[in-house]
Amino acid sequence: MYEPIRSKSVHSTMAGPDDFPHRSREEELDIQLAGHLAALLAVTDELRVAAPSADLDTAAERLTQEITRLRGGRTPARATTSTRGREPDATALHRKAHALAGRALVVAASRADTAAAILAAERMDAHTAALKPRPLASSAH
């Protein structure tokens, strides 16, 4: 009733299994983690312009070191951020940084990268603290 298929399937490729690069799960996680940390670094740099602090400077340096390690010695590109035209919203930046640090923490934990996981957790804590309302100073009567 049916004629047997005489040609190769359209779903097979002309390329052999070794004709294109393959990455291991660890390599994929390294790339993903470096991407999350690079995005966190970009937001950290924006925050450094909006509200300069030694903590943010240290965080940017540590993030740069981790990204460089994950990328095999290639340093991340750093954007020069200016406040020309608009004032950055520090609260929104802290929320964004907290979310990015959380993503980095999940990937770092899945690849068992203790150094990156600790850094991501510390950044989450720092951004959580920055988002908490500060008590008003009471004046003495």
Short mmCIF file of all heavy atoms in Angstrom, two decimals, residues 111-138:
data_model
loop_
_atom_site.label_atom_id
_atom_site.label_comp_id
_atom_site.label_asym_id
_atom_site.label_seq_id
_atom_site.Cartn_x
_atom_site.Cartn_y
_atom_site.Cartn_z
N ARG A 111 26.03 25.53 38.99
CA ARG A 111 27.34 25.09 38.52
C ARG A 111 28.34 24.95 39.66
O ARG A 111 29.52 24.72 39.43
CB ARG A 111 27.86 26.00 37.41
CG ARG A 111 28.38 27.34 37.83
CD ARG A 111 28.91 28.16 36.68
NE ARG A 111 30.17 27.71 36.15
CZ ARG A 111 31.34 27.94 36.70
NH1 ARG A 111 31.43 28.59 37.83
NH2 ARG A 111 32.44 27.52 36.13
N ALA A 112 27.86 25.11 40.88
CA ALA A 112 28.68 24.94 42.09
C ALA A 112 29.89 25.88 42.09
O ALA A 112 30.99 25.48 42.46
CB ALA A 112 29.10 23.49 42.26
N ASP A 113 29.66 27.13 41.70
CA ASP A 113 30.71 28.15 41.71
C ASP A 113 30.55 28.96 42.99
O ASP A 113 29.76 29.91 43.04
CB ASP A 113 30.59 29.04 40.47
CG ASP A 113 31.73 30.02 40.32
OD1 ASP A 113 32.30 30.46 41.35
OD2 ASP A 113 32.04 30.37 39.17
N THR A 114 31.28 28.59 44.01
CA THR A 114 31.13 29.21 45.32
C THR A 114 31.45 30.69 45.30
O THR A 114 30.71 31.50 45.88
CB THR A 114 32.03 28.49 46.35
OG1 THR A 114 31.72 27.10 46.32
CG2 THR A 114 31.79 29.01 47.75
N ALA A 115 32.54 31.07 44.64
CA ALA A 115 32.94 32.49 44.61
C ALA A 115 31.87 33.36 43.98
O ALA A 115 31.51 34.41 44.53
CB ALA A 115 34.27 32.64 43.87
N ALA A 116 31.34 32.94 42.85
CA ALA A 116 30.30 33.72 42.17
C ALA A 116 29.01 33.72 42.98
O ALA A 116 28.30 34.74 43.03
CB ALA A 116 30.05 33.19 40.77
N ALA A 117 28.68 32.60 43.61
CA ALA A 117 27.46 32.52 44.42
C ALA A 117 27.54 33.46 45.62
O ALA A 117 26.57 34.17 45.93
CB ALA A 117 27.22 31.08 44.89
N ILE A 118 28.69 33.50 46.27
CA ILE A 118 28.86 34.40 47.42
C ILE A 118 28.75 35.84 46.97
O ILE A 118 28.06 36.66 47.60
CB ILE A 118 30.21 34.12 48.12
CG1 ILE A 118 30.14 32.78 48.85
CG2 ILE A 118 30.57 35.24 49.09
CD1 ILE A 118 31.48 32.30 49.37
N LEU A 119 29.40 36.19 45.87
CA LEU A 119 29.34 37.56 45.36
C LEU A 119 27.90 37.95 45.01
O LEU A 119 27.43 39.02 45.38
CB LEU A 119 30.24 37.72 44.13
CG LEU A 119 30.22 39.08 43.43
CD1 LEU A 119 30.61 40.21 44.39
CD2 LEU A 119 31.15 39.07 42.22
N ALA A 120 27.18 37.06 44.33
CA ALA A 120 25.79 37.35 43.95
C ALA A 120 24.92 37.52 45.19
O ALA A 120 24.09 38.44 45.26
CB ALA A 120 25.25 36.24 43.06
N ALA A 121 25.10 36.66 46.19
CA ALA A 121 24.32 36.76 47.42
C ALA A 121 24.62 38.06 48.16
O ALA A 121 23.71 38.73 48.68
CB ALA A 121 24.59 35.56 48.33
N GLU A 122 25.88 38.45 48.20
CA GLU A 122 26.25 39.72 48.85
C GLU A 122 25.63 40.91 48.13
O GLU A 122 25.15 41.85 48.77
CB GLU A 122 27.78 39.88 48.87
CG GLU A 122 28.47 38.96 49.84
CD GLU A 122 29.99 39.02 49.73
OE1 GLU A 122 30.53 39.72 48.85
OE2 GLU A 122 30.65 38.35 50.55
N ARG A 123 25.60 40.85 46.79
CA ARG A 123 25.00 41.95 46.03
C ARG A 123 23.48 41.99 46.25
O ARG A 123 22.90 43.06 46.35
CB ARG A 123 25.32 41.84 44.53
CG ARG A 123 26.79 41.97 44.17
CD ARG A 123 27.55 43.07 44.88
NE ARG A 123 26.88 44.36 44.84
CZ ARG A 123 26.98 45.28 45.79
NH1 ARG A 123 27.70 45.07 46.88
NH2 ARG A 123 26.34 46.43 45.70
N MET A 124 22.86 40.82 46.35
CA MET A 124 21.42 40.80 46.65
C MET A 124 21.16 41.45 48.00
O MET A 124 20.24 42.27 48.12
CB MET A 124 20.89 39.36 46.66
CG MET A 124 20.73 38.76 45.29
SD MET A 124 20.03 37.09 45.37
CE MET A 124 18.33 37.49 45.79
N ASP A 125 21.97 41.10 49.01
CA ASP A 125 21.82 41.70 50.34
C ASP A 125 22.01 43.21 50.30
O ASP A 125 21.26 43.96 50.92
CB ASP A 125 22.81 41.07 51.33
CG ASP A 125 22.47 39.64 51.68
OD1 ASP A 125 21.33 39.20 51.39
OD2 ASP A 125 23.36 38.95 52.23
N ALA A 126 23.02 43.66 49.57
CA ALA A 126 23.31 45.09 49.49
C ALA A 126 22.16 45.85 48.83
O ALA A 126 21.76 46.93 49.29
CB ALA A 126 24.60 45.33 48.71
N HIS A 127 21.59 45.27 47.77
CA HIS A 127 20.50 45.96 47.09
C HIS A 127 19.21 45.88 47.89
O HIS A 127 18.40 46.82 47.86
CB HIS A 127 20.34 45.42 45.67
CG HIS A 127 21.52 45.73 44.81
ND1 HIS A 127 21.88 47.02 44.47
CD2 HIS A 127 22.46 44.94 44.27
CE1 HIS A 127 22.96 46.99 43.74
NE2 HIS A 127 23.34 45.73 43.61
N THR A 128 19.02 44.81 48.63
CA THR A 128 17.87 44.73 49.54
C THR A 128 17.96 45.81 50.60
O THR A 128 16.98 46.51 50.89
CB THR A 128 17.79 43.34 50.21
OG1 THR A 128 17.62 42.35 49.19
CG2 THR A 128 16.64 43.25 51.19
N ALA A 129 19.15 45.97 51.18
CA ALA A 129 19.35 47.00 52.21
C ALA A 129 19.14 48.39 51.63
O ALA A 129 18.57 49.27 52.29
CB ALA A 129 20.76 46.88 52.79
N ALA A 130 19.56 48.60 50.40
CA ALA A 130 19.40 49.91 49.77
C ALA A 130 17.93 50.23 49.50
O ALA A 130 17.55 51.41 49.44
CB ALA A 130 20.20 49.98 48.47
N LEU A 131 17.11 49.20 49.35
CA LEU A 131 15.69 49.42 49.07
C LEU A 131 14.85 49.63 50.32
O LEU A 131 13.72 50.10 50.23
CB LEU A 131 15.13 48.23 48.28
CG LEU A 131 15.61 48.14 46.83
CD1 LEU A 131 15.23 46.80 46.23
CD2 LEU A 131 15.05 49.29 46.02
N LYS A 132 15.40 49.29 51.49
CA LYS A 132 14.65 49.46 52.73
C LYS A 132 14.53 50.94 53.07
O LYS A 132 15.49 51.69 52.94
CB LYS A 132 15.34 48.74 53.89
CG LYS A 132 15.21 47.25 53.82
CD LYS A 132 15.80 46.60 55.03
CE LYS A 132 15.64 45.09 54.92
NZ LYS A 132 16.33 44.40 55.99
N PRO A 133 13.34 51.36 53.50
CA PRO A 133 13.20 52.77 53.89
C PRO A 133 14.04 53.07 55.13
O PRO A 133 14.13 52.26 56.04
CB PRO A 133 11.70 52.93 54.19
CG PRO A 133 11.16 51.56 54.28
CD PRO A 133 12.12 50.61 53.65
N ARG A 134 14.65 54.20 55.09
CA ARG A 134 15.49 54.62 56.22
C ARG A 134 14.62 55.36 57.24
O ARG A 134 13.79 56.18 56.86
CB ARG A 134 16.60 55.53 55.74
CG ARG A 134 17.63 54.75 54.92
CD ARG A 134 18.67 55.68 54.36
NE ARG A 134 19.76 55.01 53.70
CZ ARG A 134 19.68 54.33 52.56
NH1 ARG A 134 18.54 54.19 51.97
NH2 ARG A 134 20.75 53.78 52.04
N PRO A 135 14.82 55.07 58.53
CA PRO A 135 14.03 55.76 59.54
C PRO A 135 14.42 57.25 59.57
O PRO A 135 15.58 57.60 59.38
CB PRO A 135 14.42 55.06 60.84
CG PRO A 135 15.70 54.36 60.57
CD PRO A 135 15.75 54.10 59.08
N LEU A 136 13.44 58.05 59.79
CA LEU A 136 13.68 59.49 59.89
C LEU A 136 14.34 59.80 61.22
O LEU A 136 14.00 59.23 62.25
CB LEU A 136 12.37 60.27 59.77
CG LEU A 136 11.63 60.11 58.44
CD1 LEU A 136 10.27 60.81 58.51
CD2 LEU A 136 12.46 60.70 57.32
N ALA A 137 15.29 60.71 61.18
CA ALA A 137 15.97 61.11 62.41
C ALA A 137 14.99 61.94 63.24
O ALA A 137 14.41 62.92 62.77
CB ALA A 137 17.21 61.91 62.09
N SER A 138 14.80 61.53 64.47
CA SER A 138 13.88 62.29 65.33
C SER A 138 14.65 63.42 65.99
O SER A 138 15.79 63.29 66.40
CB SER A 138 13.26 61.37 66.38
OG SER A 138 14.27 60.81 67.18
#
